[in-house]
Amino acid sequence: MQESLPDRRTRMTKVLSINKSPEDGLKELLRFLIENGKVKGVVALRKMGEYGAISYSLITNPGDIESTVPLFPLMPVNLAKQLSLLTLIEAATEPIAVVLRPCELRAFVELVKRTQGSLENILFISSTCGGVYPLEMAVEGNIGEHLPKYWKAVGQGELVANTRLACRACEYFVPYTADITVSLLGNKSIEKETTLFLNTEKGESIVEGISGKFSEGDLDTTTMEQIRSKRKAEKEKLSDEVELRNLGIDEITKTFSRCIGCRNCSKVCPACYCHVCFFETETSQHGPVYYERELDKKGCANMLSDTIFYHLVRLFHVSTSCTACGQCADVCPANIPLWAISLKMGEAVQKAFNYLPGKNIEEGLPITTFVPEEFAGIV
Amino acid sequence: MSTNLKGALLPAEGGAQKGIINFAKQALKQGVFDAVLIPSRVPAGDSFAYFLIRNEAVLEGASPLSPIMPVQGARVISSITRRGKGNNRIAAIMRPCEARATIELAKLGQVDLENITIITIDCPGVIPLSDYFRDAGKGDKVFEDASQNWNSEPMRPVCRICDKFSSVGAEDLHIGIMGAKSGSILLVPHNPKGEDILNKMGLSLEGDVNDWEASVNKLTEERKQKRNQSNQALRSDIAGIDRLVETFSACINCHNCMRVCPICYCRQCHFDSDKMKFSFEDYLTRAEARGGLMVPTDTLLFHIGRMLHMSLSCVSCGMCEDACPMAIPVAQVFTLVGDRNQGEFDYVPGRSVDEPLPLTTFEEEEFLEVEQSYAGVSARQENQND
């Protein structure tokens, strides 16, 4: 997909610099927002107790900001799904600030298009994203050891070793609709300085009164394109490794043969928003007659045979909105490279509709937007 | 285990697995069953699934002693019979914990046992899915080596402390592979249905069960001790609200433990329902009251709710723990709680299909001490009010 990176050429973007590392600078911003009543609460990653588990948390007390780790390279849940839960019944009644990754933000925009949440009253803070480590690494508990290497690679705009494969292959590391973007990737001064791009009027006005240096500027397009080329090359390489060049029926059958039918990929997927999945309804359950017919026909019945059907239907349903966050692959008990399959499928479908999920809230969903002339060749 | 068991010896020259398959083939050939439900390697070769098999040639490739448990067998039987018992007489060859969960599901109205014959096997345990799927070839080897020596070290943590790895009494027929004279397996019927199978197949109950029983009893005792020790150790790790919160603090609320659990049969879990969706105002109020609200919300409530619902029927199969992306020791925690709860009611899930579920059986005299302590509390409160 040849979607361009966010372009703000119409005018230079306001930039706020804070004399601290990005994590501390961001915490200062969050504290400032709560203390000055600019927002009522903040949603950010937080260290839960001594045990060290990292989870998103809704925080209203400025004193609790210290325990947040807003840029910690882990995605315990895709926040889009949680923001949908928070704003499903009603939009945020008070202003809140949310720190999330570009793919989470895009996924949330998609959910809002599908009326599963509301953008209202939310200040979106995102970053040029270096990716996250797999959940497996959180389980092993050694992400801490990797952090120095992580930040070094991010500052230099290099691929970060051992991050999620989906992240290593991600081309959309620059957020599209964030009010504020923290410049991380390829930002050589991230050790001592927080650079915040104030992309929207909301972003500009909300930081008024904070102590820091204001200027104007833009993300360095050349650096971003260089990083993008590296990611693209890595994507090609990883696709080869998971042997997904030709997704024919044989490859699909083989790839999904390990599936245990738990459907956890759908449960954690921000694009899978159905309250009751078709595959969990009575309609999709077989009766004894089905098994008798299978036995008559083939002499045997694989009790996990519907899993491929499930995956194909799921891919079909989510492909226009998949932001390739990789959460599905991370939670798969059978280690199926779901990220690569979703990515490949998503890219193809999104390209066909010239649509990038979550890029623009105004852009209608391909499936709900009827264009009479479209796909004339097929019709 | 009852002491006057009788068994039939069946030659198994190529090992226990071959013996079990031959037995199933014979049974099919002689029309004792219409189909056999049995774990088999999937065509791609790197995993296993339950197959319902009528064709004897297909049965040849079955793996009753599969190294992993990708799906709990009780769920499979439920999906076959929940909508009707059907016309096929099916022999389900499964592990003891799967059989026990099947019995529990029958009591819960999710399984129809009429056309099902439950056949259990002495179980060496299964290796965790994550270990297996890292390298299936290596997993096969590890399992084969360990299972031959009844070494439970590479198995699921709850398999290592399983004291119900053999006959549980609720099955129709048990296949003893432990200590059985080499080159044979032992078929032990547990009820007239099981005896009838052996009769039809012309197998007489003249096999010596003593060796097998002795080996089973010895390992059972060892495992009981291990289980107690493990429960005690875990208890000191997780008891108390702070430690409990910590234990589940990595939970990402995916509910996969619930979805793979054979006992969690609700079509719609309360914790996935609209009842658990609240207004923004509500979330904000909770965040303000508690100094922060973990998002996802209500994770611990989910685990405690699930525990309350299913711990009396929990068979400690370990599916939940295998399916947890955050490696929370769910199965070990539920084993600890399950053992204690089940003990209170002197109930062993899956022991007997005739034994009613504790919560459906009201006994006026039970738990008087609990009642009295409450009576004491309310009497004290009344005194204070006076």
Side-chain angles (χ1 to χ4, degrees), chain B residues 175-220:
Chain B
I175 303 180
I177 60 171
M178 229 194 146
K181 287 197 182 71
S182 66
S184 60
I185 55 171
L186 191 62
L187 306 173
V188 186
H190 270 273
N191 54 27
K193 201 169 164 183
E195 283 165 19
D196 193 42
I197 298 164
L198 299 186
N199 275 339
K200 280 184 183 154
M201 294 176 69
L203 297 166
S204 59
L205 296 173
E206 286 161 0
D208 177 10
V209 300
N210 292 333
D211 281 359
W212 168 70
E213 259 194 308
S215 325
V216 169
N217 288 341
K218 183 164 169 276
L219 188 60
T220 305

Side-chain angles (χ1 to χ4, degrees), chain B residues 217-233:
Chain B
N217 288 341
K218 183 164 169 276
L219 188 60
T220 305
E221 280 314 308
E222 279 173 33
R223 290 280 181 83
K224 271 187 178 152
Q225 273 188 19
K226 245 177 123 176
R227 193 179 182 95
N228 279 335
Q229 285 163 3
S230 158
N231 276 349
Q232 271 172 26

Side-chain angles (χ1 to χ4, degrees), chain B residues 50-185:
Chain B
Y50 267 101
F51 277 67
L52 190 58
I53 302 176
R54 181 185 287 164
N55 184 323
E56 285 166 39
V58 178
L59 196 52
E60 193 64 53
S63 306
L65 291 169
S66 59
I68 50 171
M69 185 187 288
V71 177
Q72 229 272 7
R75 288 189 82 94
V76 180
I77 297 194
S78 175
S79 61
I80 296 176
T81 67
R82 199 172 54 82
R83 301 181 119 204
K85 61 185 161 65
N87 298 314
N88 281 312
R89 292 161 305 148
I90 296 169
I93 300 183
M94 53 200 341
R95 294 175 134 93
C97 61
E98 295 177 297
R100 290 171 60 217
T102 306
I103 300 290
E104 290 304 291
L105 284 183
K107 293 181 198 176
L108 291 162
Q110 304 301 309
V111 154
D112 188 327
L113 285 175
E114 195 176 321
N115 278 341
I116 302 283
T117 299
I118 299 183
I119 303 175
T120 49
I121 316 169
D122 286 344
C123 175
V126 291
I127 60 180
L129 291 178
S130 56
D131 291 352
Y132 187 82
F133 288 130
R134 216 166 283 141
D135 183 346
K138 193 177 154 208
D140 287 333
K141 182 87 179 59
V142 167
F143 177 79
E144 202 186 320
D145 292 349
S147 61
Q148 272 171 8
N149 308 314
W150 293 88
N151 165 19
S152 63
E153 218 32 59
M155 310 299 181
R156 282 180 178 168
V158 284
C159 293
R160 293 179 219 155
I161 56 168
C162 176
D163 57 2
K164 296 181 182 63
F165 56 88
S166 183
S167 165
V168 288
E171 71 278 14
D172 300 301
L173 181 71
H174 182 77
I175 303 180
I177 60 171
M178 229 194 146
K181 287 197 182 71
S182 66
S184 60
I185 55 171

